[in-house]
Each structure stands twice: as C-alpha cells, then as structure tokens.
Amino acid sequence: MKLSEVKGLGKASEKYLNELGIFTTLDLINYYPFRYEIIENTDVRKIKDGDKIIIGGICEKTPNVYHYNKRLNKMTFRLNTGDFIVKVDIFNRGYLKSRLSIGTVITVIGKYDQKHSSITASDIKFYLIEKTVIEPVYHSSIKISSSKISKLIKTVIDKVYVVDFVPDSINEKYKFMSKKEALYNIHFPKSKKSLNMAIDKLKYEELFMFMMKINYIKDSKKINDGLKRKVDYEKVENIIDNLPFKLTKDQNKSVRDIYEDLISNNRMNRLLQGDVGSGKTIVSFISLYINYLSGYQGALMAPTEILALQHYNNIKKIFPNLNTVFLKGKMKAKEKREVKQMIESGKADVIIGTHALISEDVKYKNLGFVITDEQHRFGVNQRGNLKNKGKTPDILYMSATPIPRTYALTLYGDMDISSIRTMPSGRKSVKTILKKSKDITEVLYMMLDEIKKNHQIYVVAPLVKESEKIDLEDTYKLEEKMKKAFGKICKIGVMHGKMNPEEKEKVMDEFKKGNIKILVSTTVIEVGVDVKNATMIVIFDSYRFGLSALHQLRGRVGRNDYDSYCILISDLETKRLNVLTKTNDGFKISEEDFKLRGGGDIFGIRQSGDMNFKLADVKEDYDLLLKIKEDSSRFIRSSLFNDSKYLHIKKEVINSVNQD
Ligand code: ADP
Ligand code: MG
C-alpha cells in the first residue's frame, strides 16, 4: 500500500517519511524503534525534577479546563497517590474531563516538574498500571517526530499484509511469535518479555534470510562442473609417509579435505587458513601432487617474488620428480619464452610464480588446480583471473590471517574452510615485549645479546600507505642507527620495496646464509620468509600496523629451538598492542583485530554493506548465526524449499541474490 492511501497521512508527512527512506506502508512497519524509553512504575518518594514517571492514584477534584483557543487547552486536576497529592497538567485532552470525577482511579504518565510540584502528563489511562510502560523511540527528524511515526504505524499495522519468512517447523522449534505479533510487539511492546520475544523472532528472521542467500549461492555453485579425476588415497598416504617429517593432525585433515574436493564432481572453492609457520605450504605441495597424479597442471601464485622463489625451491627439493617451473614478471626474454612454452605444451606439471602467472600471454595446456598464497593480498580481480585460466580449475586459497569467525560465515560463507590450528611440534612461542622509544638503549642491549649468540635479527620500519618516500627515509634512518650501534661487530643489510628484485634477492640470500646479521626492512619480509636462525624481530612504531600484520611479522622468528623475541616499540596505542604480548594464537588475534578495527582494515576491503543488519550484530550474535546457518542449510536442502507453501521464501532469496 502506498503511503498516500493512508487516511490521516498528509502530503507533508509523506514527504518527511520518504526522507527517512520510507515509501510504503510495509517500509513503515519495518521501520523499527532504535531504542525504547522504559518507564517503571515510579516510587514517588524518590522522584527528581524532570524524571519520566508513571504513577497510579485517584482523582482528588474535578478537573479544570482552560481553553487557550479552539484547539489548545490545558486540563488541571489533583492526584492522590496515597503518599501525597500532586498537581497534574495535561494539554489538549480537555475531552477527558467528563470521565474524570472525584475518586476515578487512573494512571498518569508524564514528566515531573519539581519547581511546581506538578506532573506534566502525556497520557492518562483509566486503570492502574502495575507494570512497566515501554515507549518506542524512532530515528526521527525535525520535521517528523518519533511519536508521530509511532502513531502512523499504529494506524497502518493492521492493514499491511505481512509475510513470515521463517518456516513453520522453525517457528515451532523455537516457539517463536508469529510475524504479525512480533511486529506489534516491536512497535508497541506490552512488556519487556514480549519485546524480547519479538526481537528474537525478527532477528532470527533477518539472519535466516541472510544465511539462506549464502547457502543458495554456495549450493548453486556445486553443480557437477568439477573436473573428473581419479586418484587413490593410498597414493596420497604414500606421499605423506615419505615426507621428511610427520604431518600434524590438522595438516592431515586439510590434505584429506582437499583430496575429497579434488576427486568430487564439484568444483573446489576452499580456504586453507593457519598461523604463520603452521605448515600450510607442505599441504599445498601435496595438493599439487595429487592434482598432478590426476593428470592436470597446477599453479601456485604467491604475492611476492621472494616467497614464490622460496616455494619453487622447496617443492623442487620435496618433489624432485615433478617438472616445476618458475615464472615472474621480470625474466630474461629467452628464459621466459622457454618457460611459457613449457606451460603451453604441458611439459610443466607445476607452475610457481608471482602474479605474472595470470598475465594474458601465459597459456596453460590443461590447468586443473590453482592455489593462491596469502590470498587476501591479491585483489579480487587478480584471484578471479587465475581461476579463468583453466576450464573449471579447482581453487585453493591460503591465508595466515585467519578470517574472524563471523566473516568466515558471512563474507566468505560460500567458501569451504580448512584450518590448521596447531603448530608442528618443537616450536617455542615467541616472547613479545612492548617498549617505548625512550627505552631504545635497553632494546639495543637485548639485540646485542642475540648477536653475541650468533643469531640474526629483523628490524622493521613502518610503511605508511605505500608511500615509498617515507619507506625509504625510515629504513635508511634505521640503518644508520643500527650501523652506529652494531656496525663494527656485524654486517647490516637493508631491504625495501624500492629495490629491484635482483637486489632484494641478493640481500635476502646474504641474510639466509647468515652473512647479514641484522636485516632492516619494511614489511616486504612480512609474508612467508623462512630463516630459522633469526631469533629477534624489532618493530618500530608498531602502532601503525594491525595486530594481524604484527602477528605475521612476529612469525618470522621462533622457527627454531632457540628462545625468540618480538620487540614492539611504540609510544601510542600500547593497550591494543598488549594483546600480542598475551597470545600467540593467530585465530584469537584476528578476532581482536576485527573487534578493534573492523574487517575492512584486515582484508583491505570495505566493510560489506551486507553486514548491516537491522537487529542483529554479527559479532555479538555469532552463536545464533551458527545455529541459523544449520537451520538454513537443512531447510534449503529439504523438499520444503521447493514447496509451493514456501514459494515466498525462495522468491525472496533468488531476488536478493540477483540484486548483488
Ligand atoms: P606457513 O606457510 O603455514 O606459514 P610453512 O609451510 O612455511 O608455514 O612451514 C614452516 C616450517 O615448518 C617449514 O620449514 C616447514 O618445512 C616446517 N613444517 C611444516 N610442517 C611440519 C611438520 N608437520 N613437522 C615439522 N615441520 C614442519
Ligand atoms: Mg606460507
């Protein structure tokens, strides 16, 4: 129904409602109060000036009505509350006079005015209210008040046709109110209890429809478009048995997950998440091997050249019989041509590289499996492009920044997830220490201790918004500092984004060999770099980083039996940084980061509009969301989803999917 068809709703009100985003009567009843004024039955002995009160009593004296003009009037009478007698003023309700005589039992709702020891009433009820009165408060504007909105809702609520998107069986299971009753109670709550029940129902409904949408997308992707493969798991077990170490439980489970995905008829869309050093790489190598055994090419794309090269060297060591090639942006023309030729002819079994892998001139013979490492560092488009290089390749994303639980369910809800939660045995956790910049001397002594033990140290300078200029200044400044302190006893290296890949590689090589003892760098070392002899990382101005990024940096050390240290130097935000001194669990840290900074900051994406619910809060209602996720998948996979009775649910789901 249009607003203009509502009796008593004038053109002006319509316009004001439009400004609030309300265009139909359905919009109007879906416009929930954003808070409630709760007025408890007042203890008159405690009231203060200006208090909202609700008080019962009897009328002491026939009211007087004073008329200002035809429409405006003020009625005054005295109310005996049993404890004392108070004057009551009420405006423009002169018509109630006939109902008020001496001894009439009433309840007055209003505001207390101490100076005049009177109550300015907003309403009078002709019975005693024992309980609480709950008044809705709507987001309103100067032009249209909250109470006007409430009144309009009252006039239309019975006339609007409302649809319940929660299926009967679920309504029964949770003993939910009907949709209509819930709407009544969210706008005109009879009690706190009924208000809570209304919120429970409506919150459930909005999350249910959200999960339905996600499940629908997820299911519609699973339509037998996967590659046909056949590999016996025995062969996989054989590979695992021949590794130089024993896989952890979660690594084994992840391999199994990926194997199942690969041989299933559905296309894989999986995220492998696990802390830095938890051993994702070996899982990805085994996956590449399984893919190879089933007859396809596999590609692994890493965000930096250093990391890609490290993967390349490692896989060649572990699986020397695989024909693995390396591809990066800057290569000698002849070499590049050869590599590309091997990829196109199918001679290359595994291709490892940077985002050069997705450049247009690279053609694959039969790409069946695509892995992207540290997936959140690639833009969505880059990820998509590699996916499009094969016909319907299986996709695995790897990330050391675990997705906060709520994000896993929502934003990434259409993705399957494998998590590696435990570290390979023998790892010591890194001791994290917070220091102020004035304590620098103390920090230098701690560094000296490590150098004396012939260990190596990372020193990290912050990088502000990719500003290479500041980046250079900072690393060089720090290099100067380090040279002053340690230049006489050891070699100090610098690495930053402005250097060309060969220079970087050279420095990295020197550091790996142990010739460079202190490596001053920007966050280029953040991802994946593995130097076991490094036992200390000192991060300057660490407040500039997100907790997850710092945790990643910290993961550069503690890769050996030695005690390792992460020193965070910061004069600001020490409370936030303190989280890192308390835990080494990346899953917990990403939750904290999410709480403190929001998901967008962690993943470099804007907070999705999808996450804005009217009643639900994805962080607080996580457990509910889990429950709803299950309810919704059960419903969508049952015959009920296609039942004509629930056509309205299906229609709404499909509509909202198509809108995105
Ligand atoms: P991630 O990629 O998850 O950050 P890596 O795969 O680089 O971690 O693993 C870190 C180190 O741990 C590597 O040197 C790797 O060889 C080693 N590693 C992996 N899995 C195990 C295991 N199950 N037992 C012992 N060492 C392991
Ligand atoms: Mg890794």
Side-chain angles (χ1 to χ4, degrees), residues 289-303:
Y289 205 98
I290 301 172
N291 172 67
Y292 158 77
L293 289 176
S294 68
Y296 292 97
Q297 286 179 307
L300 188 149
M301 180 163 80

Side-chain angles (χ1 to χ4, degrees), residues 275-277 279-281 307 310-311 373-374 398 400 527-528 559:
D275 241 321
V276 171
K280 297 181 295 294
T281 313
L307 194 53
Q310 192 173 285
H311 285 327
D373 196 8
E374 302 302 339
M398 296 200 285
V527 228
R559 300 183 157 236

Side-chain angles (χ1 to χ4, degrees), residues 405 409 621-631:
R405 299 181 305 168
L409 275 184
D621 296 317
Y622 176 71
D623 291 327
L624 178 65
L625 199 58
L626 268 188
K627 206 156 67 176
I628 292 174
K629 185 186 184 208
E630 263 175 42
D631 290 343

Side-chain angles (χ1 to χ4, degrees), residues 223-287:
I223 37 168
N224 285 322
D225 66 344
L227 299 169
K228 306 282 175 281
R229 314 165 179 268
K230 208 176 160 322
V231 181
D232 291 335
Y233 198 66
E234 236 172 75
K235 279 195 185 152
V236 180
E237 278 172 337
N238 208 10
I239 300 168
I240 294 175
D241 288 344
N242 285 313
L243 291 173
F245 42 71
K246 200 168 166 291
L247 291 188
T248 63
K249 192 170 134 265
D250 287 347
Q251 283 176 319
N252 267 311
K253 170 79 170 56
S254 304
V255 170
R256 182 84 211 193
D257 288 346
I258 293 163
Y259 167 79
E260 305 274 353
D261 282 356
L262 284 172
I263 60 161
S264 99
N265 287 337
N266 298 323
R267 206 199 293 201
M268 160 166 25
N269 186 34
R270 182 173 290 277
L271 173 74
L272 174 62
Q273 59 176 13
D275 241 321
V276 171
S278 62
K280 297 181 295 294
T281 313
I282 189 69
V283 172
S284 73
F285 289 175
I286 298 166
S287 314

Side-chain angles (χ1 to χ4, degrees), residues 7-25:
K7 242 170 72 184
L9 202 160
K11 270 257 162 327
S13 294
E14 188 183 343
K15 193 174 137 235
Y16 303 146
L17 287 175
N18 289 170
E19 284 166 11
L20 293 171
I22 301 166
F23 296 92
T24 64
T25 49

